[in-house]
Amino acid sequence: MTMPQGYFDPRFASVRELFAEQMADPQARGAALCVTVGNETVLDLWQGVMDKDNRQVWEQDTLVNVFSCTKPLGAVALLQQVEAGRIGLDSPLAEVWPEFAVAGKQAVTLRQVLGHRSALSAVAKPLPPEALFDWQAMVAALEQQEPWWTPGSAHGYAPVSYAWLLGEPLRRVSGQRPGAYINQHVCAALGMDFFVGVPDAELDRVAHVSRLRNQYGDEYARALFAAMGQPDSLAAKAFGNPSSMMTSTNTREWKQAEIFSANGTGNARALARFWQVLAHGGSLDGVHLLDSELVGLMAQEHSQGMDRTLLAPTRFGLGVMLEQDYEGGGFGMGPQAWGHPGAGGALGFCDPQAQVGFGYVTNTMGPYVLMDPRALALSREVYRCLRQLD
């Protein structure tokens, strides 16, 4: 068995061995894992290949699309505006985005969007594929969209529309494009090798993403995929309108767009750094990301129960998932862990009690709705090692 490259604390050697076992799977291509405990990095591993022909080795600085692991970065960007007094958490979005105040959306708030309670999980009207990369076209479609249910009365994950529901207010109050804002005020501020909109000079570092074959996920994944086969369902519209959402992952257009619900590109080290800072309340070693009170609000339950989009029970804070109430749905650590998975297997989260920041990325996508078994197994092994140290 080939062992991964990188650093490991000997106290976490079993995690390294498990990572190597996962990478020995014939379908595995490339992956990276980084874990911080307190101020210390205890694991920083990578292994495999990054190109579609399996010839280019995964390097220390390889980047990959982490899909919805990007969402918490966008949430922090908006909460920074709350901290600065530019937008209210419970004020109507229409105060900063007047064109939004039509079709029953006049009272929709930032808190509702962050908690997936805005009832705007998808655009119902069929959109052309190119609309995904036309900021104004997506903004206009959401301005015209009626809520799918009464806002605030229930929750349904917004897998992609989240980018414009939050991104347009961010653009208006910050005066910057959303990707540029996140790259400067979140990623660069923390020293993260991460981009929402990959610059030309960094494109060669981005891994090619492919899917695991002959794997069908858990019961919730199978229910979701069945619903996505019904063209007019909320799930089909949320994940597949425009249709280019499902087909663009490896295109230059996707990599360079500013869709911070889904197209952040980075590595495990960057995710672990982001969550390390949040595990410490939003500030660490003189670097301030977000006020500790707002970090606390992110981790508070805002939505719980059956998710109208994902067709699975989910719990959300503000822009983040919380520990789920069923086996395999949580983060594999303590009950206060919170963060966000990404489609296909990526995972970033923190456990403030254990002072853990966790990042896992892969270019081999699995079929699960919430936690991928690979990332979850690694997290559980990290936690087992931590408990042995106590």
Side-chain angles (χ1 to χ4, degrees), residues 267-280:
N267 50 39
R269 196 176 304 110
L271 285 178
R273 170 61 174 164
F274 176 78
W275 289 106
Q276 177 190 33
V277 174
L278 288 177
H280 286 81

Side-chain angles (χ1 to χ4, degrees), residues 320-342:
V320 297
M321 282 190 174
L322 306 180
E323 185 71 6
Q324 305 301 319
D325 294 329
Y326 59 95
E327 177 67 21
F331 296 97
M333 289 204 182
Q336 303 307 315
W338 53 286
H340 217 292

Side-chain angles (χ1 to χ4, degrees), residues 64-315:
V64 68
N65 190 173
V66 300
F67 298 97
S68 289
C69 288
T70 319
K71 283 186 172 74
L73 280 70
V76 165
L78 267 297
L79 291 171
Q80 287 178 339
Q81 309 313 305
V82 173
E83 183 176 340
R86 300 187 188 107
I87 189 170
L89 195 54
D90 294 305
S91 302
L93 283 186
E95 287 188 4
V96 299
W97 183 5
E99 299 89 338
F100 186 74
V102 295
K105 304 190 299 297
Q106 294 88 336
V108 171
T109 66
L110 176 58
R111 189 190 296 268
Q112 288 173 337
V113 175
L114 287 167
H116 296 282
R117 304 185 70 81
S118 71
L120 295 165
S121 303
V123 174
K125 177 184 175 183
L127 298 171
E130 60 271 18
L132 186 62
F133 306 108
D134 182 337
W135 186 269
Q136 199 50 49
M138 294 302 296
V139 166
L142 284 163
E143 287 173 351
Q144 297 159 21
Q145 177 65 41
E146 294 182 3
W148 289 77
W149 61 88
T150 302
S153 66
H155 78 285
Y157 184 52
V160 184
S161 61
Y162 177 103
W164 296 276
L165 291 171
L166 294 178
E168 183 62 10
L170 177 62
R171 186 185 71 82
R172 293 183 181 224
V173 301
S174 73
Q176 288 184 267
R177 296 277 301 188
Y181 180 92
I182 292 171
N183 292 344
Q184 178 183 347
H185 296 281
V186 179
C187 302
L190 298 185
M192 295 166 58
D193 194 6
F194 195 103
F195 305 95
V196 178
V198 180
D200 291 348
E202 311 296 344
L203 285 170
D204 288 345
R205 294 200 284 136
V206 181
H208 185 275
V209 175
S210 63
R211 294 183 182 274
L212 288 168
R213 299 181 301 279
N214 301 319
Q215 295 199 18
Y216 306 101
D218 55 20
E219 61 175 303
Y220 297 117
R222 291 191 292 272
L224 177 62
F225 297 144
M228 287 169 63
Q230 302 167 19
D232 292 327
S233 70
L234 176 58
K237 296 290 187 181
F239 287 94
N241 184 30
S243 61
S244 45
M245 289 181 197
M246 307 297 287
T247 59
S248 299
T249 300
N250 291 305
T251 66
R252 182 172 184 150
E253 269 188 315
W254 174 264
K255 294 170 189 173
Q256 296 199 305
E258 297 181 53
I259 307 169
F260 68 64
S261 56
N263 87 322
T265 303
N267 50 39
R269 196 176 304 110
L271 285 178
R273 170 61 174 164
F274 176 78
W275 289 106
Q276 177 190 33
V277 174
L278 288 177
H280 286 81
S283 299
L284 181 64
D285 294 336
V287 176
H288 176 76
L289 180 65
L290 191 64
D291 179 77
S292 60
E293 185 176 340
L294 289 169
V295 173
L297 280 177
M298 289 181 76
Q300 281 185 16
E301 182 180 277
H302 283 72
S303 298
Q304 184 274 332
M306 187 57 69
D307 190 302
R308 293 195 176 197
T309 308
L310 294 177
L311 306 179
T314 56
R315 294 177 67 231

